[in-house]
Structure formats: C-alpha cells, structure tokens
C-alpha cells in the first residue's frame, strides 16, 4: 500500500534539510523562503531489524523493507489559504498525503532568517493551523452549497447530510481542527468525502540544535503542551545532525550515535512514529528468493492482507499458514515450525498480527 507523509511548516524551519536527511533525494535547501516550489518525493525504508534477522534465518537472496513516501512541501505563510506565497498550490499538495509531519523551529540562530522575525512555536503552529482551517471552511462551504441544491429532490437523506456538513462548518468556525470533531459511524463516509486538511493525523517534529538533544528545550516544552491538547505526538530532532548522519557509513552510525548519547537516529524515530500514527503494522513473507515486509492497517483480516501482495491472492484466498516471528527465528524453518505445531492454518476471519510470518494458499 502506498503511504505518504507530507512535511510542512513555515519557511526556513528545516523542512528540506530534514527531507534530504530522510531520503537523500537532494531537495534544494537554502536560507530563503520557497526554495522548494514543487514537492519533492522520497521513498524511505521503515527500519525494522526483524526483517534482517528473518532474511538471515530464511537465507533469503533479497531483503525488501516496508516503505513510506515523504513529500517535502514548500513553506506555508500567513494568507496561504488566499493564495499568498503560492499557498493554494501547496495546500493542494497537502490534500494528497495521508499524514502530516509538521516541522517547528525550536532553535535560535541570527544567521537563519525566520519569516515572522522571531522564534515562537505557539505562533508558528497557530499560523499553519489557521491556514489549514480556512481552507477546510472553504471546502465545507462549497459542499453545503452543493448539497442545498439537492434539497428540492425531497430526499430526506440529503437533509441529514446537509445538517452534518453544517455541523462540520460550525465546528471549524469555533475554531477547532476537524480531527477533534466527534463523528458517528454513519457519518464517516461524508467526513471522508470532504478530504479536510485538519482531519489528517499530525506528528510534530521539533527541530533543535545538536546541544539540545535528546530532550529539547523550553521551545519544545511549549510545543509538547500544544501537541498534548491535540492528542498529537512530538519527536525532537536536529535536522543538521541527521543530515550529517546520512553521510556516515551505516556501520559507523551506531558508534556515532552512542558518542552523542543517543540510542536511535531521530529519523528512525520519526519513521516509526509516522508508521504507528497511521495505525499500521507489518507482516512478513520469507523464502529463498526474498524476505519482505508488508504494510497493513491494524485489524486487517487475512484475505485483505493477502490482497496487498496481489489482488488474485485475495480473490482466491483459501487459508493463511502463519508463524509468529519469534517462533520462526527460534526454529529456523517453516518445516520445523510445522513439526512443532507452531504453524497455524488461519481462515478468512483471522486478524493479522504485527510480526506474523505468512504463507498464503489461494486458487487462481
């Protein structure tokens, strides 16, 4: 499945530096606004040491990790919803992603221009929120107008639908983000059809100086309070340090991080958090040709998990032969797991668990 996270924020907060470190895609990074005019897209592997161990155990010739696409979206400014700073174009790019990584500047540096003249995480977050809310209100207003025209059909469902959209508008005007609104089960499709920007899950990335790692500073504490009120997460990163890590040989990175007093690269934490933010888990397939990680939403049943590999697997699904990751590593082969009674035969109602190693049986 294709998973896309958009990296947003004000100009000069470290978005492109962070993106470059994530994907090594070479997005231009400069000390002036709008150096990223078209969105850059980078595909990033989800770090998962289980896959490496599985490939070694299965003696797989190739290893294929799960991936996330990161989209570097040019900086938003006040007035973006009305077209300021090419805002409409950038807001359209945000609409196309599954989740938002909101980079917030949490460091002082007189050599790096701040578009608002000073560092203030609360104000900066409010600017982005306001622009996204204004765009969502414009979307809701258009939907309300369109739905009102359908009232003359006399369909009672249209009246109920209109009442929902009017409730959405009232909520946004409060002003509150769309993801804070309670939506009934029967209203979910209407909400999804709006594609509201403030409905998307958000992860705040606090960009700090290297000296403020790993816990952050007073600016980060302000951001944490904002995130807590939104039931959102915050990770602390130093974009410049992450860029340096990208230039170090993988075999030397662990020692470098250890010298810095860090257990894990900030980008690894960002990728893992983005993955869990969207309620995703991983199952594996393994054999002589390849060991591969597959991404599915939590709660996915076996036929739909099979369909991620190929639609024919879902249509002709018979059963899933399933081994817990820990059992596979301990026993070493499917045959050994079967002999030990630890390979389970699961049917159409089986809900796949994170780490399951699976072999699907299906009719062509």
């Amino acid at each position: 499945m294709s998973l896309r996270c958009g990296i947003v924020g004000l100009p000069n907060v470290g978005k492109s530096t962070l993106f470059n470190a994530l994907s090594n895609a070479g997005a231009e990074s400069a000390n002036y606004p709008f150096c990223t005019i078209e969105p850059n897209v980078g595909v990033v592997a989800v770090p998962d040491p289980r896959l490496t161990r599985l490939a070694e155990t299965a003696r797989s010739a190739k290893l294929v990790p799960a991936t996330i696409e990161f989209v570097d979206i040019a900086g938003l400014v006040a007035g973006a919803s009305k077209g300021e700073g090419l805002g409409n174009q950038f807001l359209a790019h945000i609409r196309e992603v599954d989740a938002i990584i909101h980079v917030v500047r949490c460091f002082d540096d007189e050599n790096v221009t701040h578009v608002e003249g000073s560092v203030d995480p609360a104000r900066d977050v409010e600017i982005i929120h306001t622009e996204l809310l204004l765009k969502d209100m414009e979307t809701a207003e258009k939907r309300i107008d369109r739905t009102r025209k359908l009232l003359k059909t006399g369909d009672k469902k249209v009246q109920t639908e209109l009442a929902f959209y009017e409730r959405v508008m009232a909520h946004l005007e409060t002003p509150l983000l769309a993801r804070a609104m309670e939506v009934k089960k029967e209203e979910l499709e209407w909400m999804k059809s709006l594609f509201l920007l403030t409905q998307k899950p958000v992860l705040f990335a606090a960009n700090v100086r290297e000296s403020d790692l790993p816990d952050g500073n007073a600016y980060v504490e302000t951001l944490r309070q904002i995130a807590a009120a939104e039931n959102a997460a915050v990770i602390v990163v130093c974009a410049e340090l992450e860029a340096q890590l990208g230039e170090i040989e993988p075999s030397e990175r662990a020692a470098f991080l250890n010298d810095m007093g860090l257990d894990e690269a900030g980008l690894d934490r960002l990728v893992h958090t983005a993955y869990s933010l969207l309620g995703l888990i991983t199952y594996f397939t393994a054999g002589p040709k390849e060991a591969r990680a597959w991404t599915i939403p939590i709660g996915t049943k076996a036929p739909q998990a099979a369909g991620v590999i190929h639609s024919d697997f879902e249509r002709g699904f018979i059963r899933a032969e399933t081994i817990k990751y820990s059992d596979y590593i301990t026993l070493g082969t499917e045959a050994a797991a079967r002999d030990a009674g630890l390979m389970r035969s699961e049917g159409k109602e089986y809900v796949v668990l994170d780490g399951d190693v699976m072999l699907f049986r299906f009719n062509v």
Side-chain angles (χ1 to χ4, degrees), residues 1-2 283 285 292-297 300-320 347-348 350 352 358-363:
M1 60 184 295
S2 177
Y283 78 84
T285 54
R292 185 163 186 155
W294 301 91
T295 301
I296 56 172
T300 299
K301 293 183 178 180
Q304 288 69 51
V308 173
I309 299 176
H310 197 287
S311 58
D312 287 348
F313 285 26
E314 181 175 359
R315 280 194 295 267
F317 179 88
I318 300 173
R319 66 182 184 275
K348 293 182 178 180
Y350 175 68
V352 178
M358 309 191 78
L359 175 66
F360 295 106
R361 301 297 185 185
F362 65 99
N363 286 319

Side-chain angles (χ1 to χ4, degrees), residues 215-361:
D215 299 322
N217 51 33
Y219 291 137
V220 176
E221 285 306 312
T222 297
L223 187 59
R224 286 190 176 115
Q225 292 173 21
I226 295 168
E230 295 184 19
N231 197 27
V234 175
I235 67 162
V236 180
V237 297
C238 172
E240 290 292 344
L241 176 64
E242 299 299 331
Q244 293 173 34
L245 277 172
E247 299 173 0
I248 297 174
E249 289 296 323
S251 59
E252 300 174 4
R253 287 178 192 169
F256 181 87
L257 288 168
N258 187 58
D259 290 343
M260 294 291 300
L262 301 172
D263 297 326
E264 185 180 29
L267 295 184
D268 286 353
R269 286 187 287 111
L270 188 150
V271 171
H272 286 142
T273 307
Y275 202 67
S276 61
L277 179 70
L278 290 164
L280 302 173
I281 60 172
T282 299
Y283 78 84
F284 302 103
T285 54
K289 290 185 178 179
E290 69 173 29
R292 185 163 186 155
W294 301 91
T295 301
I296 56 172
I298 292 173
T300 299
K301 293 183 178 180
Q304 288 69 51
V308 173
I309 299 176
H310 197 287
S311 58
D312 287 348
F313 285 26
E314 181 175 359
R315 280 194 295 267
F317 179 88
I318 300 173
R319 66 182 184 275
E321 296 178 359
T322 308
I323 309 169
K324 286 176 60 176
Y325 167 79
S326 57
D327 291 337
Y328 193 104
I329 297 302
T330 299
L331 296 168
T333 65
E334 290 178 6
R338 185 182 295 109
D339 291 344
L342 294 174
M343 174 181 272
R344 311 184 311 276
S345 182
E346 304 287 3
K348 293 182 178 180
E349 294 304 310
Y350 175 68
V351 176
V352 178
L353 301 177
D354 184 56
D356 278 350
V357 182
M358 309 191 78
L359 175 66
F360 295 106
R361 301 297 185 185

Side-chain angles (χ1 to χ4, degrees), residues 52-96:
T52 303
R53 186 82 185 276
L54 187 65
E56 292 170 351
T57 303
R59 298 179 181 178
S60 305
K62 186 169 67 170
L63 183 153
V64 185
T67 60
I68 296 180
E69 284 188 10
F70 284 93
V71 184
D72 181 25
I73 299 170
L76 293 170
V77 295
S81 60
K82 303 300 181 185
E84 291 294 328
L86 303 179
N88 284 331
Q89 180 181 350
F90 303 152
L91 288 164
H93 293 147
I94 296 173
R95 197 179 300 278
E96 296 170 359

Side-chain angles (χ1 to χ4, degrees), residues 83-215:
E84 291 294 328
L86 303 179
N88 284 331
Q89 180 181 350
F90 303 152
L91 288 164
H93 293 147
I94 296 173
R95 197 179 300 278
E96 296 170 359
V97 303
D98 301 300
I100 294 172
I101 310 296
H102 185 166
V103 182
V104 182
R105 180 170 164 178
C106 292
F107 66 90
D108 292 305
D109 189 338
E110 61 183 16
N111 295 317
V112 179
T113 304
H114 193 293
V115 71
E116 293 294 321
S118 64
V119 177
D120 184 342
R123 178 206 58 214
D124 294 354
V125 169
E126 184 64 24
I127 288 173
I128 300 296
H129 280 175
T130 298
E131 297 310 317
L132 299 183
L133 277 167
L134 288 171
K135 199 65 180 178
D136 280 351
M137 283 189 275
E138 180 183 311
T139 298
E141 185 176 18
K142 289 179 180 177
R143 181 62 63 87
I144 288 169
D145 289 344
R146 195 168 75 198
T147 308
R148 278 179 180 154
K149 292 176 182 177
L150 298 175
L151 284 175
K152 57 186 177 183
T153 64
D155 188 340
K156 290 184 179 180
K157 183 182 176 183
V158 173
Q159 182 64 56
T160 305
E161 189 173 350
L162 175 61
F164 171 73
Y165 296 138
E166 289 174 338
R167 184 156 62 88
V168 170
M169 176 64 88
H171 175 89
L172 297 173
E173 289 176 336
T174 305
L176 288 171
L177 306 177
R179 59 180 174 273
M181 180 177 168
E182 290 188 14
V183 180
K184 299 174 185 176
K185 186 177 181 180
E186 61 269 22
E187 298 170 334
L188 286 174
E189 287 304 315
W190 294 334
M191 177 61 94
K192 288 179 183 177
S193 73
L194 289 169
F195 297 101
L196 298 178
L197 304 177
T198 62
Q199 179 71 13
K200 297 179 184 296
V202 170
L203 167 64
F204 290 105
N207 187 16
V208 302
R209 288 181 177 278
E210 187 177 314
S211 58
D212 288 322
L213 292 171
D215 299 322

Side-chain angles (χ1 to χ4, degrees), residues 18-31:
L18 191 65
F19 174 81
N20 289 346
L22 273 166
S23 64
N24 294 318
E28 182 184 4
S29 178
N31 182 24

